[in-house]
Amino acid sequence: MLPTENRLRRREDFATAVRRGRRAGRPALVVHLRSGATDPHAPGESAPPTRAGFVVSKAVGGAVVRNKVKRRLRHLMRDRIDLFPPGSLVVVRALPGAGDADHVHLARDLDAALARLTGGGTR
């Protein structure tokens, strides 16, 4: 499970990542990245943690399928959250094909999108 401090929850933060960030698309998902964005809500002077959020619409499938896709994406992102600079905002949007994709296919698509956004190889 993705730790609470690494979860993207505010609507404004989702909008910032999607509108002002870069994106990389794959057949099962699209990843939006806003690198090193400062968090105006974080108290103190320490660098805010990287936060990730997930968008899985009804086009992916029914409630059971959507929740399964979200759980898989959260699990995959937990191991990859340290690839980003502190303060980054990451939004992973599942496309309709994600409902039929297995764990390996989602991992491959996520790694390819993250490699494109970060400019380097991932896992």
Side-chain angles (χ1 to χ4, degrees):
M1 188 60 68
L2 196 61
T4 303
E5 66 268 8
N6 294 119
R7 288 198 177 170
L8 197 59
R9 295 185 186 269
R10 291 185 175 91
R11 179 184 183 116
E12 306 87 45
D13 295 337
F14 274 89
T16 298
V18 172
R19 290 186 186 141
R20 296 187 182 152
R22 296 178 303 139
R23 72 180 170 147
R26 302 299 306 157
L29 49 87
V30 176
V31 179
H32 300 268
L33 171 65
R34 172 85 169 153
S35 292
T38 58
D39 183 8
H41 310 293
E45 297 184 21
S46 63
T50 298
R51 292 177 296 144
F54 306 93
V55 178
V56 184
S57 73
K58 287 185 179 180
V60 173
V64 172
V65 174
R66 291 194 313 269
N67 285 325
K68 180 176 70 172
V69 170
K70 279 188 275 191
R71 280 193 313 271
R72 286 179 174 173
L73 290 173
R74 273 197 307 264
H75 177 76
L76 291 168
M77 206 55 196
R78 178 186 64 188
D79 298 332
R80 293 156 178 84
I81 201 81
D82 58 347
L83 295 173
F84 306 101
S88 295
L89 304 176
V90 182
V91 173
V92 180
R93 184 168 44 97
L95 298 176
D100 298 327
D102 61 352
H103 188 75
V104 173
H105 183 76
L106 283 176
R108 186 176 37 230
D109 278 2
L110 183 61
D111 285 339
L114 294 179
R116 185 168 171 213
L117 288 173
T118 59
T122 61
R123 301 186 196 275

